[in-house]
Amino acid sequence: MRLLRRILATAATAAVLFPLSACGSGDDGSSGDASGRIEGEISFQTWNLKANFKSYFEGVIADFEKQYPGTEVKWIDQPAEGYATKLSADAAGGTLPDVVNVSPDLAAPLARAGLALDLDKDPAAAKFRDEYLPGAWASSQMPGMEGTYAFPWYLNTGPLFYNKALFKKAGLDAEQPPRTYAELFDAALEIAKRTDGKVATLANVPTIEDFGRYGVPLMNEEGTGFAFNDAKGVELLTRYKKLYDAKALDRQALTATPESSGQKFLTGAVAMNPGSALDLENFKTQAPSLYENIGITDQITTTGHVNMYVQNVMVNAQSKQKPAAVAFAHFVTNAENQMAFAKQVAIFPSTKGSLDDPYFTQEDGTDETRVRVAAAKSLKTAVNYTPVLFSDQMKTELRNEVAKALQGKQSPKEALDNAVRAADRLLQQG
């Protein structure tokens, strides 16, 4: 489950750079649309899913082949480590599978290289658009390009967990957690003050999605450059600097990973941490005392829209069996198959109406259903705040500049200016 969570959070993704020879002309690379007979052999590549979901995918493939006699699906499952590199090599070598599991940031370079089918332009694919949540469909739209380059697949989001025992220890009302950024920062400073800096509230420095949730414009309207160094972005980083100075932000936050931050929360070293329904079982088995004191509240935003993580299914624009590839990509991501998958693991369908199913709307008194119901409701209007063009290199540049600001080596404004310049430079190189 930990590895699946990494996929859901796109923590293992990396920028993929393709040589111009990958697509030749730079157009969609296709030899016609997908409006033809659904037949032939196609390849389908997933991202580290076989170990836990072998029977599910074999069943989906069998159902598809039964529905479309004359088709055959060859399933390929790649490990999480090196997945981006493998995609790059396949793209350059002309061996990219017909249907590929991608996150939005991995789809972006493939789309620019002309290897991702534009679903909006292809009649056989475009007819399915209204089956999906608008925010999910938009997750594979690229700034500066027209079109949509992958079918939405499964989504995830989650609440903000907090440790009621630590709130009580600091003299705060454990039944009234922060619900706004102002309340969050005030509570964090109060907890640090009342525990003499021994208990931090947060374990992570702000990431690009945090700037998005705070209402910072991340890119310019043309999608040609980044814009998170505006006054609101500087305001957020300035507030984090105040937390860091007061020890309300964990001292190891500058080098923290999602795993290490989760461990900090698990052991009671920090008072709050974002998560998902997947975490509750982990709390129950690994930290029973934390589970007994777990508080659950909503993600904090200024926009009214929570962040969502999304996985998509892309069709190779150069597939020799394009009708079958489009049909299978849609089949994998249709409402029935997404619902079946969601009941095997704590994820959410991207199809309209699915989140209205009783499975996602009715609580049974457990924390698990409480989280699931709340998350499903928020996903209807959720946004993938991480720009599809924001690569891992850009994330590293932002993290490095943020660290310098928190340490007082430069001002928040200087840090974000530097991060934007570096991201814009990498964007132009890509």
Side-chain angles (χ1 to χ4, degrees), residues 311-374:
Q311 284 291 309
N312 297 326
V313 175
M314 187 202 84
V315 175
N316 183 350
Q318 297 180 338
S319 171
K320 295 180 180 179
Q321 302 291 348
K322 199 172 299 177
V326 168
F328 183 73
H330 170 255
F331 191 80
V332 170
T333 62
N334 70 22
E336 181 181 355
N337 284 320
Q338 287 210 51
M339 179 62 76
F341 195 30
K343 290 184 177 180
Q344 292 199 21
V345 64
I347 57 172
F348 300 87
S350 62
T351 42
K352 289 180 181 177
S354 296
L355 297 178
D356 294 323
D357 186 273
Y359 184 73
F360 295 113
T361 60
Q362 296 181 5
E363 296 185 33
D364 62 8
T366 64
D367 287 333
E368 286 80 0
T369 59
R370 176 185 167 192
V371 170
R372 184 167 69 229
V373 169

Side-chain angles (χ1 to χ4, degrees), residues 9-21:
T10 64
T13 60
V16 188
L17 303 179
F18 296 94
L20 293 178
S21 60

Side-chain angles (χ1 to χ4, degrees), residues 261-285:
S261 299
Q263 190 62 27
K264 286 273 186 179
F265 183 69
L266 199 70
T267 58
V270 296
M272 304 188 81
N273 201 57
S276 74
L278 288 168
D279 292 298
L280 289 171
E281 185 62 30
N282 193 35
F283 297 156
K284 187 184 299 185
T285 57

Side-chain angles (χ1 to χ4, degrees), residues 200-314:
T201 296
L202 302 175
N204 291 290
V205 299
T207 63
I208 193 68
E209 70 181 50
D210 291 309
F211 285 95
R213 273 193 292 244
Y214 197 69
V216 179
L218 303 180
M219 297 193 77
N220 60 30
E221 292 183 2
E222 298 75 24
T224 57
F226 293 94
F228 52 84
N229 59 335
D230 79 335
K232 199 164 184 65
V234 173
E235 177 183 280
L236 179 63
L237 186 51
T238 300
R239 298 178 90 168
Y240 265 86
K241 175 68 166 67
K242 188 175 181 180
L243 295 186
Y244 187 77
D245 290 344
K247 297 183 180 180
L249 181 64
D250 186 73
R251 308 310 286 177
Q252 296 177 351
L254 305 185
T255 57
T257 64
E259 289 80 10
S260 67
S261 299
Q263 190 62 27
K264 286 273 186 179
F265 183 69
L266 199 70
T267 58
V270 296
M272 304 188 81
N273 201 57
S276 74
L278 288 168
D279 292 298
L280 289 171
E281 185 62 30
N282 193 35
F283 297 156
K284 187 184 299 185
T285 57
Q286 295 192 33
S289 60
L290 171 64
Y291 186 76
E292 292 175 1
N293 289 282
I294 199 69
I296 306 171
T297 190
D298 296 332
Q299 285 185 34
I300 296 174
T301 79
T302 63
T303 64
H305 302 284
V306 304
N307 183 66
M308 73 173 175
Y309 303 107
V310 57
Q311 284 291 309
N312 297 326
V313 175
M314 187 202 84

Side-chain angles (χ1 to χ4, degrees), residues 2 31 56 85 141 149 201 219 270 309 365 402 429:
R2 179 175 297 177
S31 56
Y56 168 77
T85 302
Q141 294 172 347
Y149 294 91
T201 296
M219 297 193 77
V270 296
Y309 303 107
V402 164
Q429 292 174 356

